[in-house]
Amino acid sequence: MHAARAEIVGNVWRLVAKEGDRVDAGDLVAVLETMKMEIPVVAGAPGTVRLRVREGEIVQEGDVIAEIG
């Protein structure tokens, strides 16, 4: 199981992948927003998405956005 994590404190601006979607390594899973910048969160491995956050939620650096497995 791979965890797609937040690299920075921010707001979950948009969830691109949906629960149960199949993704490949490098696919966009979510977009964080911080200080007017958009930060992409990508899958590090192929698999099925299990979301751990909701749009609008504030995340801290290192928080799991989605599990890919």
Side-chain angles (χ1 to χ4, degrees):
M1 176 102 23
H2 170 76
R5 298 180 181 272
E7 294 181 12
I8 193 167
V9 175
N11 177 48
V12 179
W13 181 68
R14 184 171 52 128
L15 292 171
V16 177
K18 294 177 181 52
E19 186 79 21
D21 280 359
R22 176 96 178 131
V23 294
D24 289 318
D27 284 354
L28 186 61
V29 174
V31 180
L32 304 181
E33 185 272 327
T34 186
M35 300 184 332
K36 305 288 183 190
M37 293 174 40
E38 294 179 10
I39 311 298
V41 178
V42 298
T48 303
V49 174
R50 184 170 182 195
L51 294 172
R52 292 295 185 201
V53 296
R54 289 179 261 151
E55 286 185 357
E57 191 173 328
I58 303 296
V59 294
Q60 302 299 312
E61 182 178 345
D63 283 356
V64 175
I65 302 300
E67 293 176 342
I68 315 293

